[in-house]
Amino acid sequence: MLEPSGTPATQTPHPTGTVRVIGAGPIGLLLTALLQTIDGPPVQLYERRGEYTRGRMVSLAPYLVADSIESYQADAIDGESVEAIFDTRELETRLAYRRTIAPDLTALLREWTRGFVPLKVIEQSLSDLIDARGSTTVRRTERDVSVENVWAMLEPGDILVDCTGSRSLLRDHLVPTSGEIVRGQNTQRFRLEYALVITFLYGEHYACDEYCKYYKNVENPAFKFIPSVNRTFYDGDVTHVTGIVSINREVYDAMPPQFDGPWLRTNAPDVAESMDRFIDKIKSETHGELVSELEIVRIPLDVYRAWNATSRRWRGSAADHPLTVTPAFLVGDSAIGSPYFQSISLGFECAFFLAGHIANVNLTIEAMIDRYEAFIYQQWLRVYMRTRMIKHNKDLLESADDTFGLLGKLHVF
């Protein structure tokens, strides 16, 4: 499936130095919590922020706490892809590792997969868990780390893990070069569309399936609001709703990165009218009211991956560079990014896999790198097919009343 990584003739024993985790978002914190309970190397976590403030609501995928292959493949969108991509024995091995995860961490994961949770709650809970364990194997450093800092702090036997997100600190540095680093040289990217991500709170119970999405948009000739099935969650007396509205590049360029409902109604009335029409139909059916203003972010929806998710290209090189001897891994959005709210779950999958391999002292560095590259490639196939399927289905829904437009998007045989 993958080309060999250029493994040297002599195998390098399992690293015994420090695992240096760059980035203390949810992925970096989870990886640290996983490594904290194994009889393995110490962990140094570098975090830029002193507090967790991101209030964006997220929903983790149920497959993160699956206890059988059947439940791991239960997702209606990509269950068949998972079955086609992953070997059954491989899945059994990964599920067996998850059964060894500490109960305190497992309890948090199960709680988060039941519905919505603010991102800052995940981060704060993981941070508190790491501190409460009272372990001496984890050291935390609050600083903004540069690439130069990374190279300077490495010591023999270290493992380097980049959890710095979509604007990865190290991704472009994993491609050997004797000159200036070229931005984007290690990234394969596909742009799906430009969109507004709109979130609001509604004061009654409300759920939206595909019939709801169609009928509440039937009078909207453009700018249809499409709530995500797993992004509508009832929490006590409030429903959290998040969805997207597709826009073109011209509309995207005219908008600030973040804004609210009043700005939308003043500056993009056509979009606001479609949004308000959708909300009015919800009110007429459920007799509730908005309990928050619209929160809107305009983003390009991209799916991407790192061509190299490890330092494999540097292995065996004669160059004078730290990555010729230090294994480096991209985890989470540093390695793979996807829209439609999949990224955190993907990042947690990466953390599970890497933590299990760091814990396996019988693996050489070369085996760790090769297995991780193969895993990331499998995850890429999975998320790419899933993302394309979601996008295609959304396009069909938006064309449901346009017969010829709908036929133009169908490829039957």
Side-chain angles (χ1 to χ4, degrees):
M1 182 167 54
L2 289 175
E3 295 181 359
S5 64
T7 303
T10 57
Q11 299 289 291
T12 311
H14 195 83
T16 57
T18 299
V19 180
R20 300 187 183 274
V21 180
I22 315 299
I27 314 305
L29 288 164
L30 176 70
L31 179 62
T32 300
L34 290 168
L35 296 174
Q36 188 178 25
T37 58
I38 68 174
D39 183 17
V43 180
Q44 177 73 62
L45 176 64
Y46 299 89
E47 43 200 332
R48 183 180 61 185
R49 293 169 290 133
E51 59 180 340
Y52 305 104
T53 59
R54 293 185 290 179
R56 179 166 62 90
M57 304 295 287
V58 299
S59 179
L60 297 185
Y63 61 71
L64 292 173
V65 294
D67 55 6
S68 67
I69 291 179
E70 290 73 23
S71 58
Y72 190 85
Q73 297 174 346
D75 188 280
I77 297 177
D78 73 343
E80 293 183 354
S81 297
V82 170
E83 184 177 10
I85 293 171
F86 297 105
D87 180 85
T88 300
R89 292 169 298 177
E90 179 184 347
L91 286 178
E92 288 174 344
T93 300
R94 285 162 52 190
L95 292 174
Y97 166 74
R98 296 187 192 193
R99 298 186 190 103
T100 69
I101 295 174
D104 53 2
L105 181 55
T106 299
L108 288 177
L109 292 168
R110 292 193 179 281
E111 177 183 345
W112 295 333
T113 56
R114 285 201 291 264
F116 264 109
V117 59
L119 188 56
K120 62 183 178 183
V121 170
I122 294 178
E123 294 173 322
Q124 190 65 61
S125 298
L126 289 170
S127 179
D128 292 344
L129 176 67
I130 293 168
D131 292 341
R133 285 171 169 173
S135 170
T136 59
T137 61
V138 173
R139 300 189 302 270
R140 303 176 67 163
T141 301
E142 187 177 324
R143 64 181 294 188
D144 193 0
V145 178
S146 67
V147 173
E148 290 72 25
N149 294 148
V150 172
W151 305 150
M153 69 190 180
L154 290 176
E155 298 178 358
D158 285 352
I159 298 174
L160 184 60
V161 184
D162 182 350
C163 300
T164 56
S166 59
R167 299 178 181 178
S168 168
L169 180 68
L170 300 179
R171 188 192 306 138
D172 291 333
H173 294 265
L174 297 184
V175 178
T177 176
S178 58
E180 184 177 347
I181 297 298
V182 178
R183 183 169 179 80
Q185 65 180 342
N186 191 31
T187 305
Q188 182 183 31
R189 185 180 301 273
F190 299 91
R191 175 143 301 166
L192 303 176
E193 60 183 325
Y194 294 94
L196 303 179
V197 178
I198 303 178
T199 302
F200 61 87
L201 304 181
Y202 184 66
E204 288 290 338
H205 185 220
Y206 158 69
C208 193
D209 59 14
E210 271 58 45
Y211 293 98
C212 161
K213 296 171 188 177
Y214 169 74
Y215 284 109
K216 287 181 175 56
N217 278 299
V218 71
E219 297 175 13
N220 291 334
F223 304 119
K224 299 178 186 292
F225 177 69
I226 310 295
S228 173
V229 172
N230 293 325
R231 295 287 291 172
T232 302
F233 176 69
Y234 189 56
D235 181 15
D237 297 326
V238 175
T239 302
H240 301 256
V241 183
T242 297
I244 65 174
V245 175
S246 297
I247 57 176
N248 59 36
R249 180 62 185 268
E250 182 180 358
V251 173
Y252 173 89
D253 288 339
M255 292 179 168
Q258 296 181 332
F259 51 96
D260 57 16
W263 190 98
L264 183 70
R265 294 180 180 94
T266 299
N267 297 278
D270 291 344
V271 181
E273 287 173 9
S274 295
M275 190 74 233
D276 289 337
R277 189 178 294 115
F278 188 102
I279 294 173
D280 287 343
K281 290 188 177 184
I282 298 175
K283 292 179 179 179
S284 67
E285 292 179 0
T286 57
H287 310 293
E289 294 293 335
L290 292 186
V291 294
S292 74
E293 187 50 80
L294 302 180
E295 295 182 5
I296 308 168
V297 178
R298 65 106 166 99
I299 58 173
L301 294 184
D302 293 346
V303 58
Y304 66 87
R305 66 144 174 167
W307 288 106
N308 301 275
T310 69
S311 54
R312 61 176 175 174
R313 296 277 297 277
W314 285 101
R315 303 296 298 177
S317 169
D320 182 17
H321 194 280
L323 293 183
T324 60
V325 294
T326 301
F329 301 88
L330 304 180
V331 180
D333 282 354
S334 292
I336 302 176
S338 170
Y340 310 130
F341 319 108
Q342 304 170 47
S343 291
I344 293 180
S345 297
L346 284 170
F348 277 18
E349 283 280 275
C350 293
F352 288 149
F353 189 89
L354 184 58
H357 282 63
I358 291 175
N360 186 351
V361 296
N362 295 319
L363 288 178
T364 64
I365 289 178
E366 288 74 27
M368 288 177 60
I369 286 175
D370 284 346
R371 291 186 183 187
Y372 191 75
E373 287 286 356
F375 168 78
I376 290 295
Y377 185 68
Q378 289 173 318
Q379 290 296 332
W380 164 248
L381 292 177
R382 175 187 188 181
V383 73
Y384 181 79
M385 289 188 288
R386 177 188 175 93
T387 300
R388 284 295 188 185
M389 177 65 74
I390 294 174
K391 175 66 166 65
H392 183 61
N393 289 346
K394 188 173 73 67
D395 289 346
L396 296 182
L397 179 69
E398 293 176 347
S399 302
D401 292 313
D402 178 4
T403 301
F404 291 105
L406 181 62
L407 291 173
K409 294 176 181 177
L410 290 176
H411 305 282
V412 178
F413 188 72

